[in-house]
Amino acid sequence: MRKLKITGLMTILCLLISCSMAFAQESRTISVDGTSVIKAMPDRATVNISIESTAKDAKEASAQNAIVMNKIQKDIMALAITKDNIKTTNYNLYPLYNRKDNGRQEITGYSVSNQITVTVDNIDIVGNVIDTAINAGANSVNSVEFSLKDPQSYKDKVLVQAINDAKRKADIIAKTLGKNVVNVVSVNSNNSYIEARTFNSMMYAKAADSAAVGASSPIQAGDISVKANVSIVFEIN
C-alpha cells in the first residue's frame, strides 16, 4: 500500500513537472507579423465593350446588333489581337414597353445588348482598342482592368519578402530582450493578393471629355500593388 502511494505521488509529480516544462516552452515564444508590398507595371488589360441596338422587330434588332458586333470584332482583330482574346460575356434580348392611359402595356420594340471582353497583351494599344471599337459602332465601354500575365511569380516574391520581414522583426525583439531566435513554432500565411486597377465607364467618360478631338483615348495604367501578410510564432531562448 505504501509503495502504491509513493508511486502515485511520483506520477503526479512527473505530470506537474511535464506541465511546467510545457508551459515554460510555450512561454519562450514571440509572435510577429510580416508584411510586404511590391509595385508592378501591368502587362495585360481587359476591356469590356458593349453594343445595344433597338428595332420594332426582335429579329431586326438582333440582325442590326450582329452586323455592328461583327465589325467591332473584325476591326479589333486588325490590331493584331487574336480571336481567342475576344469573348462574349453577355447577350440579352428584351421587349420595350409603353404604358397606355388605361394602365395596360404594349410592346413598342425590342432591344438587344451584346457585351464582349477583349484581352489586350500590349497595354500600349489599349486606347487604340477602345477608339476602334467606338468607331466601329460600340456605344459603351464598361470598364478597363489592368492586370499581370504572370501574377504567381509576383505573389511568390512578395510572400518571401513578408516572411523575411517577420524574421527581421523577431531577431530585433529577441536581441533587445537578450535572447536568440532558435526555431519556428507556427506560420500563418494570409495569402498574397493583387490589387488590380480598374478603369470604369464613368472614369473613362471623364477622361475622354477632357481629351482633344481626334486624339487617342487617354488610358494610363499606373502601378499594381501586390501584397502579402504572414503571422509567425518563433521560439527563443
Side-chain angles (χ1 to χ4, degrees), residues 168-199:
R168 178 186 62 80
K169 292 176 181 176
D171 287 336
I172 292 174
I173 295 172
K175 184 177 180 180
T176 303
L177 296 174
K179 304 291 184 179
N180 295 304
V181 174
V182 296
N183 201 4
V184 175
V185 177
S186 65
V187 179
N188 180 22
S189 172
N190 297 323
N191 295 323
S192 52
Y193 59 96
I194 298 175
E195 291 183 347
R197 282 182 57 84
T198 301
F199 203 71

Side-chain angles (χ1 to χ4, degrees), residues 44-104:
R44 172 171 287 172
T46 303
V47 185
N48 190 280
I49 301 165
S50 61
I51 170 68
E52 187 168 349
S53 305
T54 58
K56 289 186 177 182
D57 180 76
K59 186 176 180 180
E60 181 183 355
S62 180
Q64 290 179 4
N65 191 282
I67 291 172
V68 177
M69 182 54 74
N70 286 334
K71 178 172 174 50
I72 291 173
Q73 295 190 32
K74 180 181 177 181
D75 291 355
I76 287 177
M77 284 189 289
L79 299 174
I81 293 177
T82 64
K83 191 173 183 178
D84 291 339
N85 283 348
I86 303 176
K87 306 291 184 184
T88 299
T89 53
N90 187 42
Y91 186 91
N92 192 16
L93 186 153
Y94 52 92
L96 301 175
Y97 294 96
N98 181 36
R99 184 179 295 274
K100 291 186 174 181
D101 294 337
N102 58 10
R104 299 182 61 183

Side-chain angles (χ1 to χ4, degrees), residues 106-191:
E106 65 174 358
I107 296 176
T108 58
Y110 291 84
S111 180
V112 175
S113 176
N114 193 352
Q115 187 176 108
I116 62 170
T117 297
V118 182
T119 301
V120 185
D121 288 330
N122 179 6
I123 63 172
D124 291 336
I125 67 168
V126 170
N128 291 337
V129 170
I130 293 174
D131 293 338
T132 298
I134 292 174
N135 291 334
N139 48 32
S140 181
V141 178
N142 303 309
S143 66
V144 180
E145 182 177 304
F146 293 97
S147 59
L148 301 168
K149 295 177 185 177
D150 184 18
Q152 191 58 51
S153 63
Y154 288 94
K155 288 181 178 180
D156 293 344
K157 183 177 180 180
V158 78
L159 181 58
V160 170
Q161 291 184 0
I163 293 172
N164 289 334
D165 180 56
K167 188 177 185 305
R168 178 186 62 80
K169 292 176 181 176
D171 287 336
I172 292 174
I173 295 172
K175 184 177 180 180
T176 303
L177 296 174
K179 304 291 184 179
N180 295 304
V181 174
V182 296
N183 201 4
V184 175
V185 177
S186 65
V187 179
N188 180 22
S189 172
N190 297 323
N191 295 323

